[in-house]
Short mmCIF file of all heavy atoms in Angstrom, two decimals:
data_model
loop_
_atom_site.label_atom_id
_atom_site.label_comp_id
_atom_site.label_asym_id
_atom_site.label_seq_id
_atom_site.Cartn_x
_atom_site.Cartn_y
_atom_site.Cartn_z
N MET A 1 -11.24 -9.11 -27.05
CA MET A 1 -10.00 -9.84 -26.78
C MET A 1 -10.32 -11.23 -26.26
O MET A 1 -10.28 -11.52 -25.10
CB MET A 1 -9.23 -9.06 -25.72
CG MET A 1 -7.76 -9.36 -25.76
SD MET A 1 -6.88 -8.33 -24.64
CE MET A 1 -5.84 -9.56 -23.87
N ASN A 2 -10.67 -12.11 -27.18
CA ASN A 2 -10.98 -13.47 -26.78
C ASN A 2 -9.91 -14.43 -27.25
O ASN A 2 -9.82 -14.77 -28.41
CB ASN A 2 -12.34 -13.90 -27.37
CG ASN A 2 -13.46 -13.52 -26.45
OD1 ASN A 2 -13.29 -13.53 -25.23
ND2 ASN A 2 -14.60 -13.21 -27.01
N GLN A 3 -9.11 -14.85 -26.32
CA GLN A 3 -8.06 -15.78 -26.67
C GLN A 3 -8.46 -17.17 -26.19
O GLN A 3 -8.73 -17.36 -25.01
CB GLN A 3 -6.75 -15.38 -26.01
CG GLN A 3 -6.20 -14.07 -26.59
CD GLN A 3 -4.90 -13.69 -25.93
OE1 GLN A 3 -4.76 -13.82 -24.73
NE2 GLN A 3 -3.96 -13.24 -26.70
N PRO A 4 -8.52 -18.12 -27.09
CA PRO A 4 -8.93 -19.47 -26.72
C PRO A 4 -7.91 -20.18 -25.85
O PRO A 4 -8.23 -21.08 -25.10
CB PRO A 4 -9.09 -20.19 -28.08
CG PRO A 4 -8.23 -19.40 -29.02
CD PRO A 4 -8.23 -17.98 -28.51
N MET A 5 -6.66 -19.75 -25.95
CA MET A 5 -5.62 -20.45 -25.20
C MET A 5 -5.53 -19.90 -23.79
O MET A 5 -5.57 -18.70 -23.57
CB MET A 5 -4.27 -20.30 -25.89
CG MET A 5 -4.22 -21.02 -27.22
SD MET A 5 -2.59 -20.94 -27.96
CE MET A 5 -1.63 -21.77 -26.72
N LYS A 6 -5.41 -20.81 -22.85
CA LYS A 6 -5.27 -20.39 -21.46
C LYS A 6 -3.81 -20.59 -21.04
O LYS A 6 -3.26 -21.66 -21.18
CB LYS A 6 -6.16 -21.24 -20.55
CG LYS A 6 -7.62 -20.88 -20.68
CD LYS A 6 -8.38 -21.52 -19.54
CE LYS A 6 -9.83 -21.08 -19.56
NZ LYS A 6 -10.59 -21.74 -20.62
N ARG A 7 -3.29 -19.54 -20.53
CA ARG A 7 -1.91 -19.65 -20.06
C ARG A 7 -1.88 -20.18 -18.64
O ARG A 7 -2.70 -19.77 -17.82
CB ARG A 7 -1.23 -18.28 -20.12
CG ARG A 7 -0.88 -17.89 -21.54
CD ARG A 7 -0.28 -16.52 -21.57
NE ARG A 7 -1.26 -15.50 -21.15
CZ ARG A 7 -0.99 -14.23 -21.05
NH1 ARG A 7 0.21 -13.80 -21.32
NH2 ARG A 7 -1.90 -13.38 -20.67
N PRO A 8 -0.95 -21.03 -18.34
CA PRO A 8 -0.90 -21.62 -17.00
C PRO A 8 -0.31 -20.69 -15.95
O PRO A 8 -0.30 -21.01 -14.78
CB PRO A 8 0.01 -22.84 -17.20
CG PRO A 8 0.89 -22.48 -18.36
CD PRO A 8 0.07 -21.56 -19.24
N VAL A 9 0.15 -19.55 -16.38
CA VAL A 9 0.77 -18.63 -15.43
C VAL A 9 -0.30 -17.99 -14.55
O VAL A 9 -1.21 -17.35 -15.05
CB VAL A 9 1.56 -17.55 -16.17
CG1 VAL A 9 2.25 -16.63 -15.17
CG2 VAL A 9 2.58 -18.19 -17.09
N THR A 10 -0.20 -18.17 -13.27
CA THR A 10 -1.21 -17.65 -12.37
C THR A 10 -0.86 -16.26 -11.85
O THR A 10 -1.72 -15.55 -11.39
CB THR A 10 -1.40 -18.58 -11.16
OG1 THR A 10 -0.15 -18.78 -10.54
CG2 THR A 10 -1.95 -19.93 -11.61
N GLU A 11 0.37 -15.90 -11.96
CA GLU A 11 0.77 -14.60 -11.45
C GLU A 11 0.57 -13.50 -12.48
O GLU A 11 0.76 -12.34 -12.21
CB GLU A 11 2.24 -14.62 -11.02
CG GLU A 11 2.46 -15.33 -9.71
CD GLU A 11 1.64 -14.69 -8.60
OE1 GLU A 11 1.89 -13.53 -8.25
OE2 GLU A 11 0.73 -15.35 -8.09
N ASP A 12 0.18 -13.91 -13.67
CA ASP A 12 -0.05 -12.93 -14.71
C ASP A 12 -1.37 -12.21 -14.45
O ASP A 12 -2.24 -12.72 -13.78
CB ASP A 12 -0.08 -13.62 -16.05
CG ASP A 12 0.12 -12.62 -17.18
OD1 ASP A 12 0.37 -11.45 -16.88
OD2 ASP A 12 0.00 -13.03 -18.33
N ALA A 13 -1.51 -11.04 -15.00
CA ALA A 13 -2.75 -10.29 -14.82
C ALA A 13 -3.88 -10.94 -15.59
O ALA A 13 -3.66 -11.56 -16.62
CB ALA A 13 -2.53 -8.86 -15.30
N PRO A 14 -5.09 -10.84 -15.07
CA PRO A 14 -6.23 -11.39 -15.80
C PRO A 14 -6.39 -10.71 -17.15
O PRO A 14 -5.95 -9.58 -17.34
CB PRO A 14 -7.43 -11.07 -14.90
CG PRO A 14 -6.87 -10.60 -13.62
CD PRO A 14 -5.45 -10.20 -13.85
N ARG A 15 -7.06 -11.40 -18.05
CA ARG A 15 -7.25 -10.82 -19.38
C ARG A 15 -8.06 -9.54 -19.30
O ARG A 15 -9.05 -9.48 -18.57
CB ARG A 15 -7.97 -11.83 -20.26
CG ARG A 15 -7.06 -12.93 -20.72
CD ARG A 15 -7.83 -13.91 -21.55
NE ARG A 15 -8.84 -14.58 -20.74
CZ ARG A 15 -9.72 -15.43 -21.22
NH1 ARG A 15 -9.70 -15.69 -22.48
NH2 ARG A 15 -10.60 -16.01 -20.45
N GLY A 16 -7.65 -8.59 -20.04
CA GLY A 16 -8.40 -7.35 -20.09
C GLY A 16 -8.01 -6.35 -19.02
O GLY A 16 -8.55 -5.26 -18.98
N LEU A 17 -7.10 -6.74 -18.16
CA LEU A 17 -6.70 -5.82 -17.11
C LEU A 17 -5.69 -4.82 -17.66
O LEU A 17 -4.59 -5.17 -18.04
CB LEU A 17 -6.08 -6.60 -15.95
CG LEU A 17 -5.65 -5.74 -14.77
CD1 LEU A 17 -6.85 -5.06 -14.15
CD2 LEU A 17 -4.92 -6.57 -13.75
N VAL A 18 -6.11 -3.57 -17.70
CA VAL A 18 -5.25 -2.52 -18.23
C VAL A 18 -5.23 -1.35 -17.26
O VAL A 18 -6.27 -0.98 -16.70
CB VAL A 18 -5.76 -2.04 -19.61
CG1 VAL A 18 -4.90 -0.92 -20.14
CG2 VAL A 18 -5.80 -3.20 -20.59
N CYS A 19 -4.08 -0.81 -17.06
CA CYS A 19 -3.97 0.34 -16.19
C CYS A 19 -4.72 1.52 -16.79
O CYS A 19 -4.52 1.87 -17.94
CB CYS A 19 -2.50 0.70 -15.99
SG CYS A 19 -2.25 2.17 -14.99
N ARG A 20 -5.59 2.11 -16.00
CA ARG A 20 -6.39 3.23 -16.53
C ARG A 20 -5.57 4.51 -16.65
O ARG A 20 -5.98 5.45 -17.30
CB ARG A 20 -7.57 3.49 -15.60
CG ARG A 20 -8.59 2.38 -15.64
CD ARG A 20 -9.73 2.72 -14.71
NE ARG A 20 -10.60 1.57 -14.52
CZ ARG A 20 -11.58 1.56 -13.63
NH1 ARG A 20 -11.78 2.61 -12.87
NH2 ARG A 20 -12.33 0.50 -13.49
N THR A 21 -4.49 4.53 -15.96
CA THR A 21 -3.70 5.75 -15.97
C THR A 21 -2.74 5.80 -17.16
O THR A 21 -2.70 6.78 -17.89
CB THR A 21 -2.90 5.88 -14.67
OG1 THR A 21 -3.81 5.86 -13.58
CG2 THR A 21 -2.11 7.16 -14.65
N CYS A 22 -2.02 4.72 -17.37
CA CYS A 22 -1.01 4.76 -18.44
C CYS A 22 -1.30 3.76 -19.54
O CYS A 22 -0.66 3.78 -20.58
CB CYS A 22 0.38 4.52 -17.85
SG CYS A 22 0.64 2.84 -17.25
N GLY A 23 -2.26 2.86 -19.34
CA GLY A 23 -2.66 1.96 -20.40
C GLY A 23 -1.81 0.71 -20.54
O GLY A 23 -2.02 -0.09 -21.44
N CYS A 24 -0.86 0.52 -19.65
CA CYS A 24 -0.02 -0.67 -19.77
C CYS A 24 -0.69 -1.86 -19.08
O CYS A 24 -1.67 -1.71 -18.36
CB CYS A 24 1.36 -0.41 -19.18
SG CYS A 24 1.44 -0.59 -17.41
N ARG A 25 -0.16 -3.05 -19.32
CA ARG A 25 -0.77 -4.26 -18.78
C ARG A 25 0.17 -4.99 -17.82
O ARG A 25 -0.02 -6.16 -17.56
CB ARG A 25 -1.13 -5.20 -19.93
CG ARG A 25 -2.11 -4.60 -20.90
CD ARG A 25 -2.10 -5.39 -22.19
NE ARG A 25 -2.97 -4.76 -23.19
CZ ARG A 25 -4.24 -5.07 -23.37
NH1 ARG A 25 -4.78 -6.01 -22.64
NH2 ARG A 25 -4.97 -4.47 -24.26
N HIS A 26 1.14 -4.30 -17.37
CA HIS A 26 2.12 -4.98 -16.52
C HIS A 26 1.92 -4.58 -15.07
O HIS A 26 2.13 -3.42 -14.70
CB HIS A 26 3.53 -4.64 -16.98
CG HIS A 26 3.76 -5.00 -18.41
ND1 HIS A 26 3.93 -6.29 -18.83
CD2 HIS A 26 3.80 -4.22 -19.51
CE1 HIS A 26 4.09 -6.29 -20.14
NE2 HIS A 26 4.01 -5.06 -20.59
N PHE A 27 1.50 -5.55 -14.30
CA PHE A 27 1.26 -5.28 -12.89
C PHE A 27 2.09 -6.22 -12.03
O PHE A 27 2.26 -7.39 -12.36
CB PHE A 27 -0.22 -5.48 -12.55
CG PHE A 27 -1.10 -4.47 -13.23
CD1 PHE A 27 -1.63 -4.74 -14.47
CD2 PHE A 27 -1.38 -3.27 -12.61
CE1 PHE A 27 -2.45 -3.81 -15.10
CE2 PHE A 27 -2.19 -2.34 -13.23
CZ PHE A 27 -2.72 -2.61 -14.47
N ARG A 28 2.54 -5.69 -10.95
CA ARG A 28 3.26 -6.51 -9.99
C ARG A 28 2.31 -6.80 -8.84
O ARG A 28 1.58 -5.93 -8.38
CB ARG A 28 4.48 -5.74 -9.47
CG ARG A 28 5.42 -6.58 -8.65
CD ARG A 28 6.76 -5.86 -8.53
NE ARG A 28 6.58 -4.57 -7.85
CZ ARG A 28 6.61 -4.42 -6.53
NH1 ARG A 28 6.81 -5.45 -5.75
NH2 ARG A 28 6.45 -3.23 -5.98
N VAL A 29 2.31 -8.05 -8.39
CA VAL A 29 1.40 -8.44 -7.30
C VAL A 29 2.04 -8.10 -5.96
O VAL A 29 3.14 -8.53 -5.65
CB VAL A 29 1.09 -9.95 -7.37
CG1 VAL A 29 0.23 -10.35 -6.19
CG2 VAL A 29 0.40 -10.28 -8.68
N LEU A 30 1.31 -7.30 -5.19
CA LEU A 30 1.82 -6.95 -3.86
C LEU A 30 1.51 -8.06 -2.87
O LEU A 30 2.38 -8.49 -2.12
CB LEU A 30 1.18 -5.65 -3.38
CG LEU A 30 1.57 -4.40 -4.18
CD1 LEU A 30 0.83 -3.19 -3.63
CD2 LEU A 30 3.06 -4.16 -4.13
N TYR A 31 0.26 -8.50 -2.87
CA TYR A 31 -0.10 -9.63 -2.02
C TYR A 31 -1.38 -10.27 -2.52
O TYR A 31 -2.13 -9.69 -3.29
CB TYR A 31 -0.21 -9.22 -0.56
CG TYR A 31 -1.30 -8.21 -0.27
CD1 TYR A 31 -2.62 -8.63 -0.09
CD2 TYR A 31 -1.01 -6.87 -0.15
CE1 TYR A 31 -3.61 -7.71 0.19
CE2 TYR A 31 -1.98 -5.94 0.12
CZ TYR A 31 -3.28 -6.37 0.30
OH TYR A 31 -4.26 -5.46 0.57
N THR A 32 -1.62 -11.46 -2.07
CA THR A 32 -2.81 -12.21 -2.45
C THR A 32 -3.55 -12.66 -1.21
O THR A 32 -2.94 -13.13 -0.25
CB THR A 32 -2.41 -13.45 -3.29
OG1 THR A 32 -1.64 -13.03 -4.40
CG2 THR A 32 -3.64 -14.18 -3.77
N ARG A 33 -4.86 -12.49 -1.22
CA ARG A 33 -5.67 -12.90 -0.09
C ARG A 33 -6.86 -13.72 -0.57
O ARG A 33 -7.27 -13.61 -1.72
CB ARG A 33 -6.19 -11.68 0.68
CG ARG A 33 -5.12 -10.92 1.39
CD ARG A 33 -5.75 -9.82 2.20
NE ARG A 33 -6.71 -10.34 3.19
CZ ARG A 33 -7.37 -9.60 4.05
NH1 ARG A 33 -7.20 -8.32 4.06
NH2 ARG A 33 -8.20 -10.15 4.91
N ARG A 34 -7.40 -14.48 0.35
CA ARG A 34 -8.63 -15.19 0.06
C ARG A 34 -9.80 -14.23 0.22
O ARG A 34 -9.90 -13.55 1.24
CB ARG A 34 -8.80 -16.34 1.05
CG ARG A 34 -8.45 -17.68 0.47
CD ARG A 34 -9.49 -18.12 -0.51
NE ARG A 34 -8.98 -19.09 -1.47
CZ ARG A 34 -8.84 -20.37 -1.20
NH1 ARG A 34 -9.13 -20.83 -0.03
NH2 ARG A 34 -8.38 -21.19 -2.12
N ALA A 35 -10.66 -14.20 -0.77
CA ALA A 35 -11.83 -13.33 -0.70
C ALA A 35 -13.07 -14.19 -0.61
O ALA A 35 -13.00 -15.42 -0.62
CB ALA A 35 -11.88 -12.42 -1.92
N TRP A 36 -14.20 -13.55 -0.54
CA TRP A 36 -15.47 -14.26 -0.44
C TRP A 36 -15.70 -15.09 -1.70
O TRP A 36 -15.23 -14.74 -2.78
CB TRP A 36 -16.61 -13.29 -0.22
CG TRP A 36 -16.52 -12.08 -1.10
CD1 TRP A 36 -15.94 -10.89 -0.77
CD2 TRP A 36 -16.98 -11.94 -2.45
NE1 TRP A 36 -16.03 -10.03 -1.83
CE2 TRP A 36 -16.66 -10.63 -2.86
CE3 TRP A 36 -17.64 -12.78 -3.33
CZ2 TRP A 36 -16.98 -10.17 -4.13
CZ3 TRP A 36 -17.95 -12.31 -4.60
CH2 TRP A 36 -17.62 -11.02 -4.98
N GLY A 37 -16.46 -16.16 -1.56
CA GLY A 37 -16.79 -16.99 -2.71
C GLY A 37 -15.61 -17.84 -3.17
O GLY A 37 -15.64 -18.39 -4.25
N GLY A 38 -14.59 -17.95 -2.35
CA GLY A 38 -13.44 -18.76 -2.73
C GLY A 38 -12.54 -18.07 -3.74
O GLY A 38 -11.64 -18.68 -4.29
N ARG A 39 -12.81 -16.81 -3.96
CA ARG A 39 -11.99 -16.10 -4.94
C ARG A 39 -10.72 -15.58 -4.31
O ARG A 39 -10.55 -15.60 -3.11
CB ARG A 39 -12.80 -14.95 -5.54
CG ARG A 39 -13.95 -15.45 -6.38
CD ARG A 39 -14.30 -14.46 -7.42
NE ARG A 39 -15.37 -13.58 -6.96
CZ ARG A 39 -15.88 -12.60 -7.71
NH1 ARG A 39 -15.41 -12.39 -8.91
NH2 ARG A 39 -16.83 -11.85 -7.26
N LEU A 40 -9.87 -15.10 -5.18
CA LEU A 40 -8.61 -14.55 -4.71
C LEU A 40 -8.60 -13.05 -4.93
O LEU A 40 -8.91 -12.56 -6.01
CB LEU A 40 -7.44 -15.17 -5.46
CG LEU A 40 -7.26 -16.67 -5.25
CD1 LEU A 40 -6.11 -17.17 -6.12
CD2 LEU A 40 -6.97 -16.97 -3.79
N LEU A 41 -8.26 -12.35 -3.88
CA LEU A 41 -8.10 -10.91 -3.99
C LEU A 41 -6.62 -10.63 -4.19
O LEU A 41 -5.79 -11.11 -3.44
CB LEU A 41 -8.61 -10.25 -2.71
CG LEU A 41 -8.57 -8.73 -2.61
CD1 LEU A 41 -9.62 -8.25 -1.63
CD2 LEU A 41 -7.20 -8.24 -2.16
N ARG A 42 -6.34 -9.87 -5.20
CA ARG A 42 -4.93 -9.54 -5.46
C ARG A 42 -4.76 -8.03 -5.48
O ARG A 42 -5.48 -7.32 -6.16
CB ARG A 42 -4.48 -10.12 -6.80
CG ARG A 42 -4.29 -11.61 -6.72
CD ARG A 42 -3.08 -12.04 -7.51
NE ARG A 42 -2.75 -13.42 -7.19
CZ ARG A 42 -2.97 -14.44 -8.02
NH1 ARG A 42 -3.46 -14.22 -9.20
NH2 ARG A 42 -2.64 -15.66 -7.67
N ARG A 43 -3.81 -7.59 -4.73
CA ARG A 43 -3.47 -6.18 -4.72
C ARG A 43 -2.30 -6.02 -5.70
O ARG A 43 -1.27 -6.65 -5.54
CB ARG A 43 -3.03 -5.78 -3.31
CG ARG A 43 -2.97 -4.29 -3.12
CD ARG A 43 -4.35 -3.68 -3.10
NE ARG A 43 -4.24 -2.25 -2.77
CZ ARG A 43 -5.08 -1.32 -3.20
NH1 ARG A 43 -6.09 -1.65 -3.93
NH2 ARG A 43 -4.91 -0.08 -2.86
N ARG A 44 -2.50 -5.19 -6.70
CA ARG A 44 -1.49 -5.04 -7.73
C ARG A 44 -1.05 -3.59 -7.85
O ARG A 44 -1.80 -2.68 -7.55
CB ARG A 44 -2.03 -5.50 -9.08
CG ARG A 44 -2.45 -6.94 -9.12
CD ARG A 44 -3.11 -7.23 -10.44
NE ARG A 44 -3.59 -8.60 -10.52
CZ ARG A 44 -2.82 -9.61 -10.93
NH1 ARG A 44 -1.60 -9.40 -11.33
NH2 ARG A 44 -3.30 -10.83 -10.95
N VAL A 45 0.15 -3.44 -8.34
CA VAL A 45 0.65 -2.10 -8.60
C VAL A 45 1.22 -2.08 -10.02
O VAL A 45 1.91 -2.99 -10.44
CB VAL A 45 1.72 -1.69 -7.56
CG1 VAL A 45 2.86 -2.67 -7.52
CG2 VAL A 45 2.22 -0.28 -7.84
N CYS A 46 0.88 -1.03 -10.74
CA CYS A 46 1.36 -0.88 -12.11
C CYS A 46 2.87 -0.66 -12.11
O CYS A 46 3.38 0.15 -11.35
CB CYS A 46 0.65 0.30 -12.77
SG CYS A 46 1.23 0.63 -14.44
N ARG A 47 3.54 -1.41 -12.95
CA ARG A 47 4.99 -1.27 -13.01
C ARG A 47 5.40 0.03 -13.69
O ARG A 47 6.53 0.47 -13.59
CB ARG A 47 5.58 -2.44 -13.80
CG ARG A 47 5.50 -3.74 -13.05
CD ARG A 47 6.07 -4.83 -13.91
NE ARG A 47 6.01 -6.12 -13.20
CZ ARG A 47 6.39 -7.26 -13.73
NH1 ARG A 47 6.85 -7.29 -14.95
NH2 ARG A 47 6.31 -8.37 -13.05
N HIS A 48 4.47 0.58 -14.41
CA HIS A 48 4.80 1.75 -15.22
C HIS A 48 4.62 3.04 -14.42
O HIS A 48 5.50 3.86 -14.35
CB HIS A 48 3.92 1.75 -16.46
CG HIS A 48 4.55 2.47 -17.62
ND1 HIS A 48 5.63 1.96 -18.30
CD2 HIS A 48 4.24 3.66 -18.19
CE1 HIS A 48 5.96 2.82 -19.25
NE2 HIS A 48 5.13 3.85 -19.21
N CYS A 49 3.43 3.19 -13.83
CA CYS A 49 3.13 4.47 -13.19
C CYS A 49 2.89 4.32 -11.69
O CYS A 49 2.76 5.30 -10.98
CB CYS A 49 1.91 5.12 -13.85
SG CYS A 49 0.38 4.23 -13.52
N GLY A 50 2.82 3.08 -11.21
CA GLY A 50 2.69 2.89 -9.78
C GLY A 50 1.28 2.93 -9.26
O GLY A 50 1.05 2.90 -8.05
N ARG A 51 0.29 2.98 -10.16
CA ARG A 51 -1.09 2.98 -9.73
C ARG A 51 -1.45 1.64 -9.09
O ARG A 51 -1.07 0.59 -9.61
CB ARG A 51 -2.00 3.24 -10.93
CG ARG A 51 -3.46 3.23 -10.57
CD ARG A 51 -4.29 3.26 -11.83
NE ARG A 51 -5.70 3.14 -11.52
CZ ARG A 51 -6.52 4.17 -11.34
NH1 ARG A 51 -6.03 5.39 -11.47
NH2 ARG A 51 -7.78 4.00 -11.04
N ARG A 52 -2.18 1.69 -8.00
CA ARG A 52 -2.54 0.45 -7.31
C ARG A 52 -4.00 0.11 -7.57
O ARG A 52 -4.86 0.96 -7.49
CB ARG A 52 -2.29 0.60 -5.82
CG ARG A 52 -0.83 0.78 -5.53
CD ARG A 52 -0.55 0.77 -4.07
NE ARG A 52 0.89 0.98 -3.85
CZ ARG A 52 1.45 0.86 -2.65
NH1 ARG A 52 0.72 0.58 -1.59
NH2 ARG A 52 2.74 1.04 -2.51
N ILE A 53 -4.23 -1.16 -7.87
CA ILE A 53 -5.58 -1.63 -8.12
C ILE A 53 -5.79 -2.95 -7.40
O ILE A 53 -4.84 -3.62 -7.01
CB ILE A 53 -5.86 -1.82 -9.62
CG1 ILE A 53 -4.91 -2.87 -10.19
CG2 ILE A 53 -5.73 -0.52 -10.38
CD1 ILE A 53 -5.27 -3.26 -11.59
N THR A 54 -7.05 -3.28 -7.21
CA THR A 54 -7.39 -4.55 -6.59
C THR A 54 -8.18 -5.39 -7.57
O THR A 54 -9.10 -4.89 -8.22
CB THR A 54 -8.23 -4.32 -5.32
OG1 THR A 54 -7.50 -3.46 -4.45
CG2 THR A 54 -8.52 -5.63 -4.62
N THR A 55 -7.83 -6.65 -7.70
CA THR A 55 -8.55 -7.52 -8.62
C THR A 55 -9.06 -8.74 -7.86
O THR A 55 -8.47 -9.16 -6.86
CB THR A 55 -7.65 -8.00 -9.77
OG1 THR A 55 -6.53 -8.70 -9.24
CG2 THR A 55 -7.17 -6.82 -10.59
N TYR A 56 -10.17 -9.28 -8.35
CA TYR A 56 -10.69 -10.53 -7.81
C TYR A 56 -10.59 -11.58 -8.90
O TYR A 56 -11.00 -11.36 -10.03
CB TYR A 56 -12.14 -10.38 -7.39
CG TYR A 56 -12.31 -9.46 -6.22
CD1 TYR A 56 -12.52 -8.10 -6.39
CD2 TYR A 56 -12.22 -9.96 -4.92
CE1 TYR A 56 -12.65 -7.25 -5.31
CE2 TYR A 56 -12.36 -9.12 -3.84
CZ TYR A 56 -12.58 -7.76 -4.04
OH TYR A 56 -12.71 -6.93 -2.97
N GLU A 57 -10.03 -12.73 -8.55
CA GLU A 57 -9.82 -13.76 -9.56
C GLU A 57 -10.36 -15.09 -9.08
O GLU A 57 -10.33 -15.39 -7.88
CB GLU A 57 -8.33 -13.91 -9.84
CG GLU A 57 -7.69 -12.62 -10.31
CD GLU A 57 -6.19 -12.79 -10.40
OE1 GLU A 57 -5.74 -13.91 -10.67
OE2 GLU A 57 -5.49 -11.81 -10.18
N GLN A 58 -10.80 -15.87 -10.05
CA GLN A 58 -11.17 -17.24 -9.73
C GLN A 58 -9.88 -18.04 -9.60
O GLN A 58 -9.00 -17.91 -10.42
CB GLN A 58 -12.02 -17.84 -10.85
CG GLN A 58 -13.36 -17.20 -11.00
CD GLN A 58 -14.30 -17.58 -9.87
OE1 GLN A 58 -14.05 -18.55 -9.16
NE2 GLN A 58 -15.36 -16.83 -9.71
N PRO A 59 -9.78 -18.86 -8.59
CA PRO A 59 -8.61 -19.70 -8.47
C PRO A 59 -8.51 -20.67 -9.65
O PRO A 59 -9.51 -21.03 -10.25
CB PRO A 59 -8.80 -20.46 -7.16
CG PRO A 59 -10.24 -20.28 -6.80
CD PRO A 59 -10.72 -19.05 -7.50
N ALA A 60 -7.30 -21.08 -9.96
CA ALA A 60 -7.09 -21.97 -11.11
C ALA A 60 -7.87 -23.26 -10.93
O ALA A 60 -7.92 -23.83 -9.84
CB ALA A 60 -5.60 -22.27 -11.26
N GLY A 61 -8.48 -23.71 -12.01
CA GLY A 61 -9.21 -24.97 -11.96
C GLY A 61 -10.70 -24.77 -11.86
O GLY A 61 -11.47 -25.68 -12.10
N SER A 62 -11.15 -23.58 -11.51
CA SER A 62 -12.57 -23.33 -11.38
C SER A 62 -13.03 -22.23 -12.32
O SER A 62 -13.91 -21.47 -12.02
CB SER A 62 -12.92 -22.96 -9.94
OG SER A 62 -12.28 -21.76 -9.60
N LEU A 63 -12.37 -22.15 -13.46
CA LEU A 63 -12.76 -21.14 -14.43
C LEU A 63 -14.11 -21.47 -15.02
O LEU A 63 -14.40 -22.62 -15.32
CB LEU A 63 -11.71 -21.07 -15.54
CG LEU A 63 -10.33 -20.56 -15.07
CD1 LEU A 63 -9.32 -20.69 -16.19
CD2 LEU A 63 -10.43 -19.12 -14.63
N VAL A 64 -14.90 -20.46 -15.20
CA VAL A 64 -16.23 -20.69 -15.75
C VAL A 64 -16.14 -20.78 -17.27
O VAL A 64 -15.62 -19.88 -17.88
CB VAL A 64 -17.18 -19.53 -15.35
CG1 VAL A 64 -18.58 -19.82 -15.88
CG2 VAL A 64 -17.16 -19.36 -13.86
ZN1 ZN B 101 0.10 2.47 -15.14
#
């Protein structure tokens, strides 16, 4: 899943993030924190089944 286009939406889930329980890609962000390395820790909950996951994201502008 390599999409050349970058969407400016920051609240969207990172690419490839899929709920392991139900397979959907729709997550609601519960909260965002600063993590080590200047990254962002996001606590997300699946809108479909309610599974909670934690993701680490690079802040916008510093994508590798
Ligand atoms: Zn789910």
Side-chain angles (χ1 to χ4, degrees):
M1 203 174 134
N2 272 327
Q3 292 180 319
M5 292 185 62
K6 286 193 175 75
R7 285 178 295 179
V9 182
T10 55
E11 284 303 295
D12 198 6
R15 284 178 295 175
L17 182 64
V18 178
C19 177
R20 291 181 191 172
T21 302
C22 69
C24 82
R25 300 163 184 267
H26 303 286
F27 294 91
R28 190 164 61 87
V29 176
L30 293 178
Y31 63 83
T32 304
R33 291 185 59 178
R34 258 288 157 80
W36 44 267
R39 292 207 267 181
L40 296 177
L41 181 155
R42 287 219 168 107
R43 194 71 174 150
R44 299 174 182 272
V45 57
C46 177
R47 289 179 180 177
H48 206 71
C49 69
R51 179 189 175 93
R52 295 187 181 188
I53 61 171
T54 304
T55 59
Y56 293 91
E57 302 173 30
Q58 293 287 344
S62 63
L63 293 173
V64 183

